[in-house]
Amino acid sequence: MKIKFKIKRYNPAEGEPAEPYFQAYTLDVEEGMSVLDALLKIADEQDTTLSFRRSCRSSICGSCAVNINGFARLSCATQVMPEYAKMGDMVIEPLSNHVPLKDLIVDFNPFWSRIEKVAPYLTPTSRRARRRGDVPARENDGARVTARDEEAIDKSQRCIMCGCCNSECNALEIDDRYIGPAALAKAWRLVGDVREGNSRKRLERLSEEHGMWNCVRCVHCTQYCPKSVSPLKQIESLRSRAMKEGVLDNPGAKHVEAMADSVKRVGRLDEAAMTFRTLGFLRSLGMIPFGLKMERHGKMPKPLLFPQIENIAEVRDIYEEAERLEKEDRERKKG
Amino acid sequence: MRAAIEAAAEGLNVAVVSKVYPVRSHSVAAQGGINAAIKDTDSWENHMFDTVKGSDYLGDQDAIEILCKEAPRDIMELERMGAVFSRDPSGNIAQRPFGGAGYPRTCYLADRTGHGLLHLMYEQLLKHEVFIYDEWHVARLVVEDNVVRGIIAIELRGGKLHRLHSKAVIIATGGYGRVFHTTTNALSSTGDGMGLALNAGLELMDMEFVQFHPTTLKRTGILITEGARGEGGYLLNSLGERFMANYAPTVKELASRDVVSRAEKTEIDQGRGVNGCVLLDLRHLGADRINERLPQIRELAINFAGVDPLTEPIPIRPGAHYSMGGIMTDVDGATKIKGLYAAGESACVSVHGANRLGGNSLLEAVVFGRRAGAAAARRCLACAAPEFPDSALRDSAHDIADILRRDNGETASALRQEMTLVMEEHCGVFRDSEKLIAGLAKIRELKQRYGKVSLSDKGDYFNSELLAVLELGHMLDVAESIAAGAVARKESRGAHYRTDFPRRDDREWLKHTVVRKEDSELKISYKDVNISRYEPKERTY
Ligand SMILES: Cc1cc2nc3c(=O)[nH]c(=O)nc-3n(C[C@H](O)[C@H](O)[C@H](O)COP(=O)(O)OP(=O)(O)OC[C@H]3O[C@@H](n4cnc5c(N)ncnc54)[C@H](O)[C@@H]3O)c2cc1C
Ligand code: SF4
Ligand code: SF4
């Protein structure tokens, strides 16, 4: 079957069009062919100048994420035939929220610096942080980790750093200094690790401006992640851990704290009181319109957390956090 | 990366140069696990024996001893760095059985072991502030008077050529699976380091030993981990028989990879295959076990073969998987050029001999990566930086300009396609004199034609076509080394199986094949095997 691929081209070289443009290639496709196979075939047989990243072709190296028919996907893990049958088209563009360098290749440096910002390596507690070279020859040096401990970070460590989540993130589109879902998933990988010694410090840093409280819970990151990392879930884990550990001296957490107070006091949401205490936070977030992405996607994300009033998503988020906090509080009193 | 971390921890100024971003390296695809004798009921001697036997007695036993003795220490160190190994119910590091091993000693992170460890190495690179030159393609090793001076690399983003001046260089460019048509390897696994080494005057060892993995997905060659058999999967032929019972009656599916690959090929060749494949059946393991232990396998089978292993067996066949051979080094990764080291799959220490055991190559990359890093650091602390010859950059620029200047030639992709088919046909699971000699001639002919390959992309930005030409040059050298070594070796040992010489011949052939390039021709010589503890015996499973 012949399918027309419309691929966005761009070359920064002199003498090339200054603006990206679409080029069409017609390709004979067969059952089982992935979009990456198709791109490779086009590059081999029709146009060797076409540039795109690739390596493992088995959805584990994270190189080949592009925008297919409007959504961030791994090209190796997207089959041409079903995709075409569903969408009736085959439009391939570079990832959004990223600057294109050539054709489908985008500048990934901002992605990597976001990851670097969370100091993405374990800094164990002092008991375990022995001198280098002082490694026991055998297991069982007190470093036991249970299956439950692993469960807590299991999803977050599946990330392949493909950038699909950042590409679809609404908060990132609003604020290009936002740390973004991929880095936050990585942050939870460390904060949630029982062996980590600096969780609190990490939470404090993550609570700074452009940090974890920026997320507007649009669920896109979770929806588009090809490896079921569920970054939003990891962000929620970070937030609730921050509340639990009392990392409160920041607008995001204050907002939640106010909520928790209110819930405890009257058993329901007292919005006026809450807004008063968190005015600063709302100002920093609430005035900025988002929904741009929503329009592009032409639909609402599935778990409908996104009513018309801009701050409601945030409010619900906070409401849930508060409930959780209260429950913990209750349990603590009981036990 | 393991080497870089070690050298950086010694306080050196270290950089990693990679043609893909470090977390994209093909180690990321390793699924099954990494071996180490960490339990009281196991011992490094057992691990060593299994490895020696697996290597069909061609592995150097001094190197294997180091590998197995240091393995537990390295596993603990990885855990300390933050690796999230899967645990048993009491919280200890869990281990699974792997083919060719007499004890379940493969540590794992579900079926994403390589992914977990590669990302861990990347984390440690950042922690140690190692500089990363990502998407830089190394075009030349700069060597003068038998001392390495640094490298020349192309920055893919803008096409600039750079010189990197250094006291030591460690080659860790991985395998060459892409030389074959059906392979589990990444598009980037093109054996560059081995080609670069040959060009710099180094020797490659045991190149004819190519591991064919028994379970790769039908169309794409994507790997289904050995762990799938380790967890109890069955191999079935078209008659529904567990045919491994006829080839390895005691361990069946868990025989060494070369044995299983040949069994599959025999079944397929004798008409008991299913569309050129045999079937891997996991259904009896049940949904829970598959979802918990082999989640990625299920995902791969569904996405890339359209088969859900919960309800259907997976069609699989053998594919090129691992390069036992590589750049000849000592146990510290040192080559005969001062300051130039090699580690990982691109090196041949040799711990795998004629056949590698699953779970031993990640281990090799970690143990000998660390050792190479330490050795390079020692050298750097002890010597002054040698001069960098001015001509090197100019020469590289000329080479590349030459390629860019050519017009109206064949494309690199057409030639590459031909090469991979020749290798599959002539240097595959079953080899014989006739096939091999014809194959070698074809590769040599392709090399002639390679000189006239031309490009249509003459641009500077991310010129993938230029990259393909450079990679193809290395692949052809590697292909010739494999074929030449295989023609000469008139016996069957490990992964090298000759139907015209079906037996192992220790009297004549208990020796390593060594190839080097002289005036652009390959020359073969031989080297003794180090045998310390275990005398060669017949290898049965
Ligand atoms: C699918 C699969 C599954 C596997 N499973 C297992 C397993 O379960 N257990 C096990 O022990 N082993 C396994 N192996 C083998 C093991 O993964 C590899 O042998 C090992 O990871 C190789 O590591 P490496 O560091 O040597 O090379 P790689 O990880 O391949 O890294 C090579 C690096 O070199 C760079 N490079 C190459 N050429 C150039 C150049 N010209 N310029 C600049 N940079 C360059 C690449 O960009 C890359 O960063 C598996 C292999 C495959 C293919
Ligand atoms: S849920 Fe939050 S982090 Fe995820 S895409 Fe939406 S705004 Fe970004
Ligand atoms: S969280 Fe998912 S989408 Fe985001 S980078 Fe990681 S794997 Fe990709």
Side-chain angles (χ1 to χ4, degrees):
Chain A
M1 173 175 156
K2 283 201 188 328
I3 288 183
K4 194 190 263 178
F5 286 75
K6 299 168 199 157
I7 301 178
K8 196 161 231 178
R9 304 292 310 266
Y10 169 67
N11 187 341
E14 260 176 62
E16 296 280 342
E19 290 299 318
Y21 59 96
F22 279 104
Q23 189 164 349
Y25 301 91
T26 306
L27 192 71
D28 220 352
V29 299
E30 50 188 74
E31 196 68 56
M33 194 178 215
S34 68
V35 172
L36 178 64
D37 292 334
L39 290 173
L40 286 167
K41 203 156 178 230
I42 292 171
D44 270 358
E45 295 169 5
Q46 299 188 25
D47 187 346
T48 53
T49 68
L50 183 64
S51 300
F52 48 95
R53 289 195 176 99
R54 71 280 190 147
S55 185
C56 78
R57 54 88 176 91
S58 55
S59 66
I60 189 72
C61 79
S63 303
C64 71
V66 291
N67 199 307
I68 300 173
N69 290 327
F71 304 98
R73 314 275 293 271
L74 294 180
S75 62
C76 73
T78 307
Q79 298 270 310
V80 175
M81 304 278 247
E83 174 70 17
Y84 190 77
K86 195 169 123 208
M87 309 296 281
D89 210 348
M90 191 46 81
V91 182
I92 304 176
E93 299 169 82
L95 287 180
S96 350
N97 282 349
H98 292 77
V99 177
L101 294 177
K102 188 188 175 211
D103 298 342
L104 301 174
I105 296 182
V106 294
D107 188 359
F108 236 66
N109 283 338
F111 180 94
W112 303 121
S113 29
R114 286 190 166 90
I115 300 283
E116 279 173 43
K117 273 209 188 99
V118 303
Y121 38 80
L122 195 73
T123 52
T125 49
S126 54
R127 185 166 60 88
R128 290 174 44 78
R130 305 208 178 119
R131 266 178 303 118
R132 220 177 66 76
D134 176 20
V135 180
R138 290 265 155 190
E139 210 194 348
N140 295 341
D141 62 323
R144 294 208 183 189
V145 179
T146 65
R148 249 187 69 205
D149 296 333
E150 299 210 320
E151 176 85 33
I153 52 170
D154 179 48
K155 279 201 150 78
S156 63
Q157 56 155 342
R158 295 181 185 201
C159 172
I160 58 171
M161 305 202 172
C162 64
C164 286
C165 55
N166 284 12
S167 170
E168 297 291 342
C169 171
N170 281 288
L172 202 61
E173 187 165 287
I174 299 162
D175 171 12
D176 65 4
R177 292 174 66 194
Y178 171 43
I179 185 105
L184 289 172
K186 186 77 182 173
W188 174 252
R189 146 80 191 87
L190 297 155
V191 170
D193 192 318
V194 287
R195 302 168 299 177
E196 171 61 24
N198 291 299
S199 293
R200 197 191 151 92
K201 217 180 286 166
R202 288 180 186 276
L203 289 167
E204 284 166 5
R205 289 207 44 194
L206 292 168
S207 300
E208 289 167 10
E209 228 184 321
H210 315 293
M212 63 182 183
W213 295 99
N214 263 34
C215 163
V216 297
R217 296 199 49 178
C218 70
V219 204
H220 275 180
C221 52
T222 293
Q223 207 176 343
Y224 295 106
C225 171
K227 301 305 275 187
S228 314
V229 172
S230 307
L232 175 57
K233 192 163 174 295
Q234 317 313 327
I235 295 170
E236 287 173 342
S237 300
L238 283 170
R239 286 178 172 182
S240 76
R241 179 67 68 85
M243 299 308 295
K244 202 151 108 193
E245 296 221 354
V247 181
L248 304 170
D249 194 19
N250 60 75
K254 277 211 188 102
H255 197 112
V256 180
E257 210 190 3
M259 174 76 95
D261 273 4
S262 139
V263 169
K264 261 188 279 179
R265 220 175 39 245
V266 294
R268 67 177 175 86
L269 191 65
D270 179 351
E271 274 190 52
M274 190 191 69
T275 316
F276 182 70
R277 266 178 71 177
T278 59
L279 209 59
F281 177 56
L282 290 180
R283 197 176 295 130
S284 74
L285 240 186
M287 299 296 117
I288 311 158
F290 46 82
L292 226 127
K293 272 250 153 95
M294 302 299 195
E295 234 170 75
R296 182 166 64 78
H297 287 267
K299 66 175 177 115
M300 302 290 248
K302 269 203 194 100
L304 207 94
L305 290 166
F306 223 54
Q308 290 77 353
I309 310 165
E310 279 164 5
N311 293 320
I312 287 286
E314 197 55 38
V315 170
R316 285 204 184 181
D317 176 12
I318 292 161
Y319 190 76
E320 277 167 28
E321 304 279 19
E323 273 188 330
R324 204 171 306 147
L325 197 84
E326 199 197 23
K327 194 165 145 237
E328 273 165 20
D329 206 30
R330 243 184 286 132
E331 269 164 8
R332 213 177 313 129
K333 273 177 201 149
K334 252 194 265 164
Chain B
M1 281 199 268
R2 183 64 193 86
I5 292 158
E6 195 65 16
E10 295 294 336
L12 296 185
N13 182 357
V14 187
V16 164
V17 182
S18 173
K19 64 180 177 182
V20 297
Y21 199 80
V23 293
R24 318 280 191 223
S25 301
H26 199 52
S27 293
V28 78
Q31 301 169 349
I34 178 165
N35 297 338
I38 54 172
K39 294 279 184 323
D40 290 334
T41 43
D42 195 6
S43 72
W44 69 261
E45 288 92 343
N46 289 344
H47 185 186
M48 175 169 174
F49 174 73
D50 289 340
T51 305
V52 170
K53 179 179 170 193
S55 82
D56 223 347
Y57 296 90
L58 192 69
D60 282 324
Q61 297 192 10
D62 53 344
I64 297 176
E65 183 166 334
I66 291 174
L67 180 81
C68 301
K69 247 188 198 163
E70 297 185 358
R73 170 205 178 282
D74 276 284
I75 295 293
M76 291 310 133
E77 188 173 56
L78 293 172
E79 197 276 340
R80 187 61 50 79
M81 286 174 177
V84 188
F85 287 108
S86 297
R87 304 282 172 153
D88 65 17
S90 53
N92 296 321
I93 293 176
Q95 292 183 298
R96 59 163 57 125
F98 243 45
Y103 187 94
R105 74 166 68 86
T106 305
C107 310
Y108 57 94
L109 297 81
D111 51 6
R112 296 182 303 270
T113 313
H115 169 263
L117 295 182
L118 188 75
H119 282 248
L120 178 72
M121 290 297 108
Y122 168 61
E123 294 170 4
Q124 295 293 311
L125 277 192
L126 297 181
K127 183 171 181 184
H128 289 91
E129 297 179 356
V130 172
F131 199 87
I132 299 171
Y133 293 101
D134 61 297
E135 301 191 332
W136 283 38
H137 180 95
V138 178
R140 174 188 292 249
L141 299 167
V142 182
V143 178
E144 223 175 51
D145 303 329
N146 205 38
V147 178
V148 77
R149 315 295 169 122
I151 59 168
I152 305 283
I154 308 172
E155 184 185 359
L156 299 181
R157 181 173 180 163
K160 276 207 192 80
L161 271 183
H162 295 272
R163 35 183 268 172
L164 292 174
H165 183 186
S166 65
K167 290 185 189 175
V169 173
I170 302 174
I171 306 170
T173 49
Y176 57 61
R178 284 282 144 188
V179 166
F180 288 85
H181 188 69
T182 307
T183 176
T184 62
N185 283 198
L187 297 162
S188 57
S189 300
T190 51
D192 297 5
M194 301 178 200
L196 290 167
L198 274 181
N199 291 339
L202 286 181
E203 291 158 330
L204 305 183
M205 192 161 92
D206 293 340
M207 291 297 284
E208 63 271 33
F209 298 101
V210 181
Q211 180 163 79
F212 296 92
H213 198 290
T215 52
T216 80
L217 278 186
K218 190 175 168 182
R219 205 176 52 84
T220 51
I222 290 170
L223 180 77
I224 297 297
T225 174
E226 183 161 330
R229 280 171 293 135
E231 295 295 343
Y234 296 153
L235 289 174
L236 306 178
N237 61 19
S238 60
L239 309 172
E241 295 165 343
R242 271 183 82 185
F243 58 84
M244 281 312 297
N246 305 329
Y247 300 86
T250 40
V251 291
K252 299 191 185 72
E253 281 83 1
L254 285 181
S256 191
R257 288 179 181 171
D258 54 328
V259 176
V260 182
S261 286
R262 281 197 294 275
E264 289 177 0
K265 188 92 172 60
T266 309
E267 292 296 312
I268 295 166
D269 289 349
Q270 295 181 358
R272 292 187 296 277
V274 182
N275 300 326
C277 291
V278 291
L279 301 172
L280 173 66
D281 195 352
L282 302 179
R283 288 172 297 184
H284 58 286
L285 301 179
D288 288 350
R289 183 108 169 245
I290 294 177
N291 288 332
E292 183 204 342
R293 302 280 183 87
L294 303 165
Q296 193 192 181
I297 293 308
R298 182 165 176 222
E299 189 188 307
L300 288 175
I302 293 174
N303 286 344
F304 296 95
V307 174
D308 185 345
L310 294 187
T311 54
E312 275 176 276
I314 313 170
I316 51 98
R317 63 176 176 187
H321 180 56
Y322 184 81
S323 339
M324 266 75 75
I327 302 162
M328 190 167 93
T329 72
D330 70 7
V331 295
D332 285 318
T335 66
K336 67 173 196 192
I337 294 174
K338 291 201 180 76
L340 188 52
Y341 301 79
E345 191 167 339
S346 62
C348 182
V349 186
S350 113
V351 289
H352 309 303
N355 174 56
R356 166 188 76 111
L357 293 189
N360 264 356
S361 53
L362 286 176
L363 180 64
E364 178 198 12
V366 170
V367 171
F368 290 100
R370 169 175 55 73
R371 291 177 66 97
R378 285 196 296 277
R379 178 178 161 83
C380 291
L381 292 170
C383 77
E387 240 168 74
F388 196 94
D390 289 333
S391 59
L393 190 63
R394 217 172 36 235
D395 292 349
S396 280
H398 273 302
D399 289 352
I400 287 167
D402 269 349
I403 297 173
L404 289 172
R405 203 175 299 129
R406 296 199 291 249
D407 272 319
N408 303 322
E410 291 177 272
T411 63
S413 68
L415 222 57
R416 186 186 65 217
Q417 176 81 357
E418 246 185 275
M419 172 195 66
T420 59
L421 292 171
V422 169
M423 290 305 283
E424 189 122 312
E425 164 83 27
H426 294 269
C427 294
V429 176
F430 288 114
R431 303 166 170 180
D432 64 47
S433 164
E434 204 180 314
K435 270 205 272 189
L436 286 169
I437 291 174
L440 184 58
K442 284 191 185 165
I443 294 294
R444 290 193 168 138
E445 184 224 311
L446 287 172
K447 275 183 105 166
Q448 295 294 324
R449 284 159 56 192
Y450 173 71
K452 298 201 188 65
V453 160
S454 73
L455 312 176
S456 43
D457 187 355
K458 316 261 180 192
D460 290 333
Y461 296 90
F462 288 104
N463 189 330
S464 333
E465 204 187 1
L466 175 61
L467 203 69
V469 173
L470 298 175
E471 289 174 345
L472 179 61
H474 297 312
M475 285 199 279
L476 285 167
D477 275 346
V478 166
E480 190 184 356
S481 311
I482 297 170
V487 169
R489 186 174 284 272
K490 296 189 172 54
E491 66 157 351
S492 289
R493 184 185 294 273
H496 172 67
Y497 193 87
R498 296 214 19 185
T499 48
D500 46 352
F501 298 98
R503 309 211 77 79
R504 195 174 82 194
D505 178 358
D506 286 339
R507 248 198 27 226
E508 282 296 320
W509 289 104
L510 187 56
K511 56 188 180 188
H512 298 295
T513 307
V514 178
V515 295
R516 63 179 191 290
K517 213 178 192 178
E518 247 173 48
D519 306 325
S520 68
E521 263 185 44
L522 293 187
K523 292 271 177 332
I524 297 191
S525 56
Y526 293 94
K527 185 177 158 242
D528 287 342
V529 178
N530 177 296
I531 294 171
S532 56
R533 285 171 180 265
Y534 304 107
E535 283 299 320
K537 282 197 296 204
E538 202 197 338
R539 179 165 159 262
T540 52
Y541 288 100

